[in-house]
Amino acid sequence: MATELRPRATMKVSSKVAGIVGALFVLASLFVTEYYPTQKALLWILGVVGGAALLFFFVAERRLLVRAPGTRAARHGANALAITLAFLGILVIVNVLSIRHNEKWDLTAQKIYTLSDQTLKVLKGLDKDVTVTAFFSDGSEERAKIKDLLDRYADETPRLKVKYVDPDKNPALAHQYGIRQYGTTVFEAGSNTHRITEVSEEALTNALVKVTREGKKTIYFLTGHGEHSIQDTQRSGYREAKKALEDQGFAVKELLLLKEGEVPKDCDVLVVAGPTKPFLDKEIEAIRTYLDGGGKVMVLLDPQVETGLEPLLEAWGAKLRDDVVIDTMSRLFGGSYTTPIVTEYPNHEITREFRLATFLPMARSVDRAKSLPEGVRFQPIARTSSQAWGETDLSNPKASFDPGQDYRGPLTLAALLEKTQGKGDDKTESQLLIVGDSDFADNTYFNFSGNGDLFQNMVSYLAKEEDLISIRPKDTKPQPLVLSRAQAATLFYASVVVGPAALVLAGLGIWWRRRNL
């Protein structure tokens, strides 16, 4: 009798194994369908094997399945099944609602999963369709990364059409686009084409700007007087600033005014970045003529430097003081007293919604004339806190505020002067932006906190590219925490005084109590 049951027992075990294997294979096929839809062969194998195993289980256990509904265990199982199905139904409903009403929350401190203000501004301002073709290998980490980014872009505008191509599976299309390496993304808008090989929000947004812009604005940097060079890759160079402007779609050139004799007609913005030698009279006259004709000039002058441009600035109603701005808050961040920090900005298009601190090493303050020339408007762009002051005794290594001699904060470090001349068709609007420091935009400080953003916003405003004025995409580098004087004092006393004092008092209390037991 026992020998007759062995085949049945063996078959019963085999059917149970088949049922488990079949269920696992079917679940695996569902996983592959969701996350690896291109793996057709694997999907077929899992589906066929899983289906055959489940079929064998149902045939082998048909008698048990027929008798099972009447048993007590079946009733309990039916209840459990009903609860499970109800739970799954709730999950399905929640999933459908989440798809129809898609909401996301970025809980990271640096908002690394939130598109920057500039990216959102560029996407909402698209007035033409842009096709993005990403050439990445299926299943690669880089493909998943760029898909996550482009999905966020596509959520903001219907103008963006995205498709992904595996160069190995579609070599004809890769050859048509001239793809030479994996990870190339091609942007197309009308007849404009631009390609990138970097996967970052900054690269994607800059590519969108380039491919949708008609023509290029030209930014000239003056040379010949010891200015920061846009070709210099050393600490004091302006190569980073040049690259950032080119990424925004600007053409960036150098101008030797002594050779040219005048500012070129195609100059949209003229930048004078930290000259150390005086200008000749005819050079100053060329700049004056350019301004009077509706030109846009950005002048960055450091302390203790005489350039000959001072009378021109005063004629516009602004004066660069002969001081060095001292800011005691700088010591809280390991900096020098001579590096003023700007955390609050006057209301202006350049700094609207600007929430980053900027650091200006060795800056001088900009003073407004008591009476501005006719038609000139003066607008502060960046100011220090009230704790800063303008030190005039530069020979004293231990600087301190001297009432009546030094300038009390808040001090203006950057100011915009605008002049409207003429009427009707002859109407021109000239702009002169003055900054009391040039080092804040060099290679050393350009990518530090908000320095680069502020510099680019200034240039974009002067170039009449208002849609580029914003906070640009950032990587996840740590940003300094800027505290007010009161906040810093509170943090100091709480961590250095109150905390240790509480521990000492608690210890004394315990000692006294034990002594009197």
Side-chain angles (χ1 to χ4, degrees):
M1 188 71 176
T3 56
E4 294 179 1
L5 292 176
R6 284 177 188 168
R8 293 184 181 178
T10 303
M11 186 174 182
K12 189 173 184 179
V13 173
S14 301
S15 64
K16 289 182 177 180
V17 172
I20 295 172
V21 171
L24 291 175
F25 271 51
V26 169
L27 290 175
S29 67
L30 295 176
F31 177 82
V32 172
T33 302
E34 177 67 23
Y35 295 100
Y36 300 97
T38 59
Q39 303 294 329
K40 302 296 184 183
L42 178 60
L43 184 61
W44 272 101
I45 292 172
L46 292 173
V48 170
V49 175
L54 287 177
L55 179 61
F56 173 72
F57 170 76
F58 286 122
V59 171
E61 300 292 339
R62 62 186 181 280
R63 293 181 181 177
L64 178 62
L65 295 174
V66 171
R67 295 195 304 267
T71 65
R72 184 179 179 182
R75 289 194 297 271
H76 289 295
N79 292 335
L81 179 61
I83 295 173
T84 302
L85 291 176
F87 177 72
L88 291 175
I90 293 172
L91 289 181
V92 170
I93 294 173
V94 171
N95 191 42
V96 171
L97 291 175
S98 66
I99 292 174
R100 293 185 178 180
H101 307 280
N102 188 11
E103 293 292 338
K104 299 177 181 178
W105 294 273
D106 186 356
L107 302 180
T108 59
Q110 295 180 355
K111 301 299 180 184
I112 59 177
Y113 298 111
T114 301
L115 297 177
S116 69
D117 293 342
Q118 188 198 21
T119 295
L120 294 174
K121 186 180 290 187
V122 170
L123 290 172
K124 294 184 185 302
L126 287 179
D127 57 0
K128 61 180 70 174
D129 290 339
V130 179
T131 301
V132 182
T133 308
F135 291 88
F136 289 79
S137 297
D138 290 341
S140 66
E141 183 179 345
E142 290 296 296
R143 183 186 185 280
K145 182 178 178 181
I146 197 170
K147 185 179 186 304
D148 176 65
L149 269 173
L150 288 175
D151 284 349
R152 281 185 261 160
Y153 277 59
D155 287 341
E156 300 295 334
T157 176
R159 291 285 192 179
L160 204 63
K161 315 297 180 184
V162 184
K163 56 183 177 180
Y164 302 92
V165 178
D166 188 330
D168 295 329
K169 296 180 179 179
N170 199 337
L173 189 60
H175 178 74
Q176 176 184 334
Y177 278 88
I179 302 302
R180 296 289 182 270
Q181 68 180 84
Y182 296 103
T184 301
T185 306
V186 182
F187 292 75
E188 298 172 281
S191 60
N192 296 335
T193 302
H194 185 71
R195 61 184 61 205
I196 61 174
T197 56
E198 180 184 349
V199 181
S200 68
E201 183 187 348
E202 184 174 4
L204 294 178
T205 300
N206 288 336
L208 275 177
V209 170
K210 288 183 178 181
V211 81
T212 55
R213 284 253 180 313
E214 297 297 337
K216 285 187 176 183
K217 298 289 183 70
T218 305
I219 314 299
Y220 278 92
F221 281 77
L222 214 57
T223 64
H225 314 89
E227 296 92 343
H228 298 274
S229 171
I230 58 175
Q231 308 299 338
D232 188 1
T233 60
Q234 301 302 312
R235 292 174 56 87
S236 62
Y238 262 39
R239 185 61 179 269
E240 288 292 324
K242 174 179 182 289
K243 179 180 180 301
L245 292 174
E246 289 177 336
D247 286 342
Q248 295 292 302
F250 292 110
V252 183
K253 302 179 181 180
E254 290 184 333
L255 172 63
L256 182 58
L257 196 55
L258 188 60
K259 176 182 178 181
E260 299 296 332
E262 64 178 7
V263 178
K265 302 297 183 182
D266 66 337
C267 178
D268 292 289
V269 179
L270 177 65
V271 181
V272 184
T276 58
K277 302 295 182 182
F279 285 70
L280 298 179
D281 290 342
K282 63 178 182 178
E283 293 177 299
I284 298 174
E285 188 58 34
I287 297 174
R288 190 193 309 275
T289 301
Y290 173 68
L291 272 172
D292 291 341
K296 315 292 188 286
V297 178
M298 182 176 176
V299 179
L300 303 93
L301 296 181
D302 297 305
Q304 299 178 281
V305 176
E306 295 289 335
T307 64
L309 293 173
E310 291 76 17
L312 173 61
L313 304 184
E314 291 182 22
W316 271 68
K319 179 181 179 181
L320 282 164
R321 292 177 175 141
D322 188 17
D323 63 356
V324 172
V325 178
I326 305 296
D327 191 349
T328 54
M329 283 183 61
S330 300
R331 298 298 293 176
L332 298 175
F333 312 101
S336 168
Y337 285 139
T338 58
T339 302
I341 302 172
V342 180
T343 57
E344 298 182 6
Y345 304 86
N347 184 27
H348 190 272
E349 186 67 24
I350 293 176
T351 53
R352 190 163 297 152
E353 298 182 1
F354 197 88
R355 299 179 295 273
L356 298 174
T358 51
F359 297 76
L360 285 76
M362 285 295 289
R364 63 199 301 186
S365 59
V366 183
D367 189 21
R368 177 189 182 278
K370 294 182 179 179
S371 178
L372 291 175
E374 183 179 356
V376 174
R377 301 181 299 278
F378 182 97
Q379 174 67 55
I381 301 301
R383 307 184 75 179
T384 69
S385 67
S386 57
Q387 281 75 40
W389 75 87
E391 178 63 45
T392 57
D393 185 6
L394 305 182
S395 61
N396 184 5
K398 296 182 179 180
S400 60
F401 178 74
D402 299 316
Q405 180 178 347
D406 297 331
Y407 304 103
R408 183 179 294 278
L411 302 171
T412 299
L413 300 179
L416 175 69
L417 295 102
E418 298 177 302
K419 180 193 294 185
T420 303
Q421 304 176 95
K423 297 180 180 180
D425 295 337
D426 297 329
K427 183 179 178 180
T428 60
E429 185 177 48
S430 305
Q431 293 174 321
L432 174 61
L433 202 158
I434 305 172
V435 185
D437 173 51
S438 66
D439 298 325
F440 83 100
D442 66 17
N443 296 335
T444 302
Y445 295 98
F446 187 84
N447 291 312
F448 190 77
S449 193
N451 286 20
D453 285 313
L454 182 62
F455 178 82
Q456 291 177 82
N457 280 6
M458 291 175 173
V459 175
S460 297
Y461 179 82
L462 294 177
K464 300 301 180 185
E465 293 286 0
E466 286 83 358
D467 58 335
L468 297 181
I469 299 174
S470 189
I471 308 300
R472 286 152 187 85
K474 292 285 186 181
D475 56 23
T476 55
K477 293 178 182 177
Q479 296 291 341
L481 175 63
V482 180
L483 302 176
S484 67
R485 190 182 187 89
Q487 291 171 330
T490 301
L491 181 62
F492 172 79
Y493 285 112
S495 59
V496 178
V497 179
V498 176
L503 289 175
V504 171
L505 291 175
L508 289 173
I510 294 172
W511 170 78
W512 181 261
R513 182 180 178 184
R514 289 182 176 179
R515 182 186 177 195
N516 291 284
L517 286 177

